[in-house]
Amino acid sequence: MSHQSNSFAVILLSGGLDSMVAGGLAREAGHRLFALTIDYNQRHRVELQAATRVASALNVMSHIVLPLDLSAFGGSALTADIAVPKGGVGADIPVTYVPARNTIFLSLTLGFAEVTGAQDIYIGVNALDYSGYPDCRPEFIEAFQAMAALATKAGVEGKPVRINAPLQHMSKADIVREADRLGLDAGMSWSCYDPTPDGLHCGSCDSCRLRAKGFEEAGLPDPTRYAVKP
């Protein structure tokens, strides 16, 4: 769906491959872009540098990095001193799930969208090749969309913000191919939950495994530097 070039969109930009591709699709749709990155004191802080690189490549008008220290709550391997699992993607919700993260982040993105006059939010959630997080499912996005229409001035005035999740039903291989098609260097993005001290992807956390599998299945070269080959 094409938009006028004077329409604004806010990308929730983590610095990961998925949010990079979602941002690329927002740009392709003709939006002028704002980007919001949440610095939640995550273990993989190197992804904040990746978000800055991606924002620059996408030519965003403004990139806000908002500090919100979720390590005060803890409860996740990404925000507390809990080991990141390295045994492969399991069936249960993993300890890398950050409690209510996408609900919190989308709420902040919604506030930013209202201030900027953006009618669209883009988020890179994905329900196929993912680690089992409940807030990546289509039902969650639909419910948040309904809530956003009720909760905002724009919604009450009949111009609710649209929540776009263009990667929702893509495999990781599809997402890798989209990055390539959009001319985005996947090497700019960061996926690993537990980077090595010298700044490599660990190669064994769920996120590294899913990333490597995506490149392999897409038949495209993986620019990622792994400490251990996934």
Side-chain angles (χ1 to χ4, degrees), residues 103-135:
T103 309
I104 295 164
F105 288 7
L106 271 176
S107 299
L108 294 165
T109 312
L110 183 62
F112 188 29
E114 272 220 291
V115 173
T116 58
Q119 281 254 236
D120 287 272
I121 286 172
Y122 279 75
I123 180 171
V125 292
N126 169 255
L128 277 186
D129 284 342
Y130 76 118
S131 294
Y133 301 141
D135 54 0

Side-chain angles (χ1 to χ4, degrees), residues 58-146:
L58 290 173
N59 250 347
V60 304
M61 294 189 296
S62 168
H63 178 209
I64 289 182
V65 179
L66 190 72
L68 179 74
D69 186 358
L70 292 182
S71 68
F73 290 175
S76 166
L78 302 192
T79 55
D81 193 13
I82 300 168
V84 171
K86 301 292 178 79
V89 181
D92 299 329
I93 295 171
V95 294
T96 50
Y97 163 69
V98 177
R101 179 174 64 181
N102 283 342
T103 309
I104 295 164
F105 288 7
L106 271 176
S107 299
L108 294 165
T109 312
L110 183 62
F112 188 29
E114 272 220 291
V115 173
T116 58
Q119 281 254 236
D120 287 272
I121 286 172
Y122 279 75
I123 180 171
V125 292
N126 169 255
L128 277 186
D129 284 342
Y130 76 118
S131 294
Y133 301 141
D135 54 0
C136 286
R137 294 175 301 163
E139 305 92 300
F140 165 72
I141 296 296
E142 283 163 27
F144 195 94
Q145 172 82 68

Side-chain angles (χ1 to χ4, degrees), residues 182-202:
L182 291 161
L184 293 167
D185 171 14
M188 285 191 299
S189 65
W190 185 271
S191 297
C192 180
Y193 292 147
D194 195 19
T196 64
D198 51 348
L200 301 179
H201 278 64
C202 75

